[in-house]
């Protein structure tokens, strides 16, 4: 039953006295996936409910111009909002997902998911609580992409980790912002010319928090 993994990542399941939950835990299959593997794609049938133990999966859509637009990440302790949505609505996946790192997860067969959803109050509350939270995160992310200037969105992303160094490529930043790599590179090079950061291969160093926060505070390009 992989009790240690349940206890570490989903302790509420271990603490539940619900017999249906015990059946769900017993039916869950531990899956391990390598980095950069496709997990789902548009039109794929959703046949398992995934509970992440470690690693990261990115869910994204492809725009008409070919740009990749990141929807969200699924991390340890999370469930996938698209997977939940597809299972609840008996729909196929509308987007694609890839592992960003090596991933471990519990996969619960769809028929077990539906049976537990019907029979267990605990599981229903868990599923809908997580679905609601993850959906709110997606909406918040879409709002952040659609509002504000590129400078403001880029500054917010650079400040998010709270670290002076950020180890991401220009392409990865563009994916998170929903824009083109060339746009991100152009703005980063301008930031560098102002002395707000130093660009290195695969990383951004010496990020100037004060300067970037002024962009967010001003709401315009008065710098």
């Amino acid at each position: 039953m992989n009790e240690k993994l349940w206890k570490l990542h989903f302790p509420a399941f271990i603490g539940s006295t619900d017999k249906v939950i015990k059946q769900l835990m017993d039916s869950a299959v531990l899956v391990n996936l390598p980095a950069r593997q496709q997990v789902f794609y548009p039109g794929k049938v959703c046949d398992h409910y995934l509970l992440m133990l470690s690693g990261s999966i990115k869910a994204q859509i492809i725009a008409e111009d070919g740009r990749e637009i990141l929807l969200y990440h699924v991390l340890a302790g999370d469930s996938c909002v698209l997977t939940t949505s597809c299972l609840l609505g008996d729909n196929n996946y509308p987007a694609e997902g890839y592992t960003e790192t090596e991933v471990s997860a519990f996969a619960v067969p769809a028929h077990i998911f539906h049976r537990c959803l019907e029979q267990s109050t605990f599981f229903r509350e868990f599923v809908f609580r997580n679905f609601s939270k993850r959906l709110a995160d997606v909406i918040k992310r879409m709002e952040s992409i659609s509002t504000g200037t590129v400078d403001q969105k880029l500054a917010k992303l650079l400040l998010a980790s709270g670290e002076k160094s950020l180890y991401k490529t220009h392409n990865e930043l563009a994916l998170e912002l929903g824009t083109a790599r060339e746009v991100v590179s152009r703005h980063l090079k301008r930031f560098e010319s102002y002395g707000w950061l130093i660009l290195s291969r695969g990383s951004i160093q010496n990020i100037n928090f004060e300067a970037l926060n002024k962009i967010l505070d001003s709401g315009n390009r008065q710098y």
Side-chain angles (χ1 to χ4, degrees):
M1 190 175 66
N2 299 297
E3 185 170 334
K4 289 184 178 179
L5 292 175
W6 282 104
K7 187 174 183 179
L8 178 62
H9 298 285
F10 300 97
F13 281 69
I14 290 290
S16 175
T17 57
D18 191 330
K19 292 182 179 180
V20 177
I21 293 301
K22 301 300 181 184
Q23 294 172 5
L24 178 145
M25 293 166 64
D26 288 338
S27 70
V29 177
L30 179 62
V31 294
N32 296 292
L33 304 174
R36 296 180 295 279
Q37 177 170 314
Q38 189 169 50
V39 182
F40 52 84
Y41 51 84
K44 183 181 185 297
V45 174
C46 182
D47 51 13
H48 285 85
Y49 180 64
L50 292 179
L51 295 170
M52 287 282 286
L53 300 175
S54 65
S56 174
I57 294 174
K58 66 177 179 181
Q60 62 185 30
I61 56 175
I62 306 299
E64 289 185 4
D65 60 5
R67 288 183 297 114
E68 297 175 343
I69 301 176
L70 179 69
L71 297 176
Y72 58 88
H73 292 98
V74 190
L75 305 174
D78 289 342
S79 58
C80 175
V81 66
L82 277 180
T83 298
T84 306
S85 175
C86 291
L87 286 170
L88 292 175
D90 193 25
N91 297 315
N92 295 344
Y93 281 102
E96 59 184 22
Y98 290 87
T99 57
E100 295 185 297
T101 64
E102 292 184 354
V103 162
S104 291
F106 282 135
V108 179
H111 71 280
I112 299 294
F113 169 86
H114 287 295
R115 187 176 72 191
C116 291
L117 198 66
E118 179 182 349
Q119 298 180 359
S120 172
T121 300
F122 169 89
F123 188 61
R124 278 197 303 276
E125 291 177 351
F126 173 85
V127 169
F128 286 109
R129 182 171 59 250
N130 280 273
F131 179 69
S132 175
K133 179 181 181 302
R134 298 295 295 155
L135 183 58
D137 291 342
V138 173
I139 293 173
K140 184 177 180 180
R141 169 167 175 72
M142 292 301 102
E143 288 176 342
S144 70
I145 289 176
S146 62
T147 60
T149 66
V150 174
D151 280 350
Q152 291 167 343
K153 290 186 283 189
L154 183 56
K156 185 176 182 179
L157 185 56
L158 294 173
L159 291 167
S161 70
E163 301 292 336
K164 291 287 186 177
S165 298
L166 184 65
Y167 296 93
K168 290 188 176 182
T169 66
H170 294 192
N171 191 62
E172 289 172 328
L173 293 173
L175 175 61
E176 294 197 38
L177 292 177
T179 189
R181 180 187 60 79
E182 293 79 8
V183 172
V184 169
S185 295
R186 185 165 62 248
H187 284 262
L188 285 175
K189 287 176 181 176
R190 184 161 50 79
F191 285 5
E192 184 178 42
S193 73
Y194 296 158
W196 295 352
L197 47 80
I198 297 175
L199 298 176
S200 301
R201 185 175 180 83
S203 68
I204 300 169
Q205 308 289 333
N206 293 353
I207 298 172
N208 186 323
F209 289 177
E210 182 179 359
L212 296 182
N213 272 310
K214 286 181 179 178
I215 297 178
L216 300 181
D217 292 339
S218 66
N220 53 48
R221 296 183 59 178
Q222 296 177 1
Y223 47 84

